[in-house]
Amino acid sequence: MTVDDTGSGTGAHPDPDAEPARTAERAADAPRGRTDAHGRTDAPAGRTEAHGRVDSEDDQGEGDPLALRLEQLILGAERRYTPFQAARSAGVSMELASRFWRAMGFADIGQAKALTEADVLALRRLAGLVEAGLLSEAMAVQVARSTGQTTARLAEWQIDSFLEGLTEPPEPGMTRTEVTYPLVELLLPELEEFIVYVWRRQLAAATGRVVQAADDEEMVDRRLAVGFADLVGFTRLTRRMEEEELGELVEAFETTAADLVAAHGGRLIKTLGDEVLYAADDAGVAAEIALRLIETMANDETMPELRVGIAFGTVTTRMGDVFGTTVNLASRLTSIAPRDAVLVDGAFAEELVRTSEAPASEAEAAEAAAAAEKEGEEPPTYRFALQPMWQRPVRGLGVVEPWLLTRRDAAP
């Protein structure tokens, strides 16, 4: 929710009903809209989508207060403030409040009285972190944006896939309205605690990875293995399959990929329908994930063929995503990989050799085995095999020499 007023709003916390006359007159002359659970307001007529959904008068009329009751239940407070009043009560300028609200993904609501004490507290906390020097203003806006984007997607998924199914009337004659409120009342505290638990776990894991970096520079620009896995022929499938079937296939692919990435120690960065992007600190982990993905999909007759590309190098991380030449190279390798195969770049191959996960060549592996046998020692064991492929130009990255990655026992 953002506003069109730029009053300063610093100082003490005034009476929330005390607003400049010009604002009150403007609000009185303008048609009043209503806001949803995030403080987002509808226009007097019509509907808009995305984060700032706007409902028509017929959708949320005075005769149907369920939306307002649910909002109050979820937020735990009544509407009390206009955006101008909330900013003044929080002791921040309207300009900064607007930046925070926009970053969180909330739509403009003018000066409707739609905000609660929670909105004021959130502004105070963010502004307090800036005033204390713990965050710069730009970083505080990034915190608001990353949190808003992530939770918006989570909330939409929960409503579309979770609550919608649970609120089907359990008995003939019951309406969804009669079921929704008590269901949300029961689920809300459980879901809230679970979300906080998962967030703390993820935060602990991410912090552990960062503090283990070799130096301060590597905390931001780190050396990672980045992998793309792409379903082959997905565009053709979209023309042949029904929407519901296509949705089920994508969900199955994303679920399988997410489970495999997590189980083997990688991190799922994002899913793009027919493609997943993952990262790992260790080249061996990234290689194992790639081959497991190929093997799992190949054993599922309902799934198209898969191809994977992996690159190793410096990666910039921002808001949970990864950027840089290494990421671009992994994407390009995926586009030229054979079906049901994994292509890696030279740096990734070198890392596997350095960590003794793969031999530099089959000839070297044979020599090492012969030398070990002569000395009466156990020969070295390798998990993976690497086969150099023809050099080829890759758009935007010049000429690269990809390597075909296979399991050692599957190597020729």
Side-chain angles (χ1 to χ4, degrees), residues 209-223:
R209 290 192 296 267
V210 169
V211 298
Q212 291 175 24
D215 51 47
D216 289 346
E217 184 176 342
E218 194 176 325
M219 286 187 178
V220 178
D221 296 319
R222 303 161 57 195
R223 288 179 62 78

Side-chain angles (χ1 to χ4, degrees), residues 322-343:
V322 290
F323 306 92
T325 302
T326 302
V327 180
N328 296 337
L329 179 54
S331 178
R332 298 289 188 271
L333 288 170
T334 306
S335 66
I336 63 174
R339 296 166 183 259
D340 286 339
V342 182
L343 282 189

Side-chain angles (χ1 to χ4, degrees), residues 22 121 139 142 179 200 203 245 252 313 329 334 336 360 390 400:
R22 60 185 178 83
L121 181 58
M139 182 57 70
Q142 282 191 357
V179 179
R200 284 181 177 272
L203 187 64
E245 290 180 299
L329 179 54
T334 306
I336 63 174
W390 292 104
V400 299

Side-chain angles (χ1 to χ4, degrees), residues 4-127:
D4 51 14
D5 199 318
T6 56
S8 61
T10 56
H13 303 158
D15 180 352
D17 294 324
E19 186 176 3
R22 60 185 178 83
T23 304
E25 292 171 357
R26 183 190 310 155
D29 293 337
R32 292 187 180 272
R34 285 173 309 278
T35 64
D36 64 13
H38 295 288
R40 302 177 295 200
T41 291
D42 60 317
R47 178 190 299 266
T48 62
E49 296 297 334
H51 291 299
R53 171 173 172 167
V54 176
D55 294 322
S56 68
E57 288 291 330
D58 294 335
D59 292 326
Q60 283 188 338
E62 292 300 326
D64 182 13
L66 176 63
L68 290 178
R69 290 177 58 219
L70 282 170
E71 175 189 296
Q72 185 172 340
L73 171 66
I74 294 170
L75 298 181
E78 296 181 352
R79 299 177 179 185
R80 184 181 178 191
Y81 300 95
T82 67
F84 182 84
Q85 293 167 347
R88 290 178 63 189
S89 294
V92 302
S93 69
M94 280 304 307
E95 180 182 2
L96 183 58
S98 295
R99 290 189 67 196
F100 285 152
W101 283 324
R102 285 194 183 101
M104 285 184 276
F106 300 145
D108 294 344
I109 64 170
Q111 286 301 330
K113 184 174 287 189
L115 308 185
T116 71
E117 285 291 345
D119 297 295
V120 173
L121 181 58
L123 284 179
R124 285 180 190 161
R125 283 175 170 163
L126 278 174

Side-chain angles (χ1 to χ4, degrees), residues 274-396:
D274 62 329
E275 190 173 59
V276 297
L277 170 62
Y278 71 92
D281 299 303
D282 181 82
V285 169
E288 182 65 29
I289 290 170
L291 293 172
R292 291 271 183 170
L293 284 169
I294 294 290
E295 293 158 358
T296 302
M297 297 300 171
N299 289 328
D300 188 340
E301 295 180 354
T302 66
M303 282 291 173
E305 295 160 306
L306 191 70
R307 55 190 177 187
V308 182
I310 315 176
F312 186 85
T314 301
V315 173
T316 298
T317 59
R318 290 289 184 276
M319 292 176 63
D321 207 344
V322 290
F323 306 92
T325 302
T326 302
V327 180
N328 296 337
L329 179 54
S331 178
R332 298 289 188 271
L333 288 170
T334 306
S335 66
I336 63 174
R339 296 166 183 259
D340 286 339
V342 182
L343 282 189
V344 304
D345 74 327
F348 186 88
E350 290 176 5
E351 186 67 11
L352 285 182
V353 173
R354 186 188 70 81
T355 56
S356 301
E357 296 277 13
S361 67
E362 289 304 309
E364 182 177 301
E367 289 177 6
E373 184 178 356
K374 185 177 180 180
E375 296 294 330
E377 300 174 352
E378 287 292 325
T381 58
Y382 304 100
R383 285 201 292 164
F384 310 109
L386 295 163
Q387 178 184 342
M389 308 292 283
W390 292 104
Q391 290 186 351
R392 66 191 70 189
V394 175
R395 181 167 54 87

Side-chain angles (χ1 to χ4, degrees), residues 73-74 158-159 162-167 179-195:
L73 171 66
I74 294 170
Q158 288 174 332
I159 293 300
F162 186 50
L163 291 178
E164 185 172 346
L166 288 177
T167 52
V179 179
T180 301
Y181 189 94
L183 181 63
V184 172
E185 191 173 28
L186 289 171
L187 284 175
L188 187 62
E190 302 300 326
L191 288 177
E192 182 177 15
E193 289 189 10
F194 182 71
I195 288 170

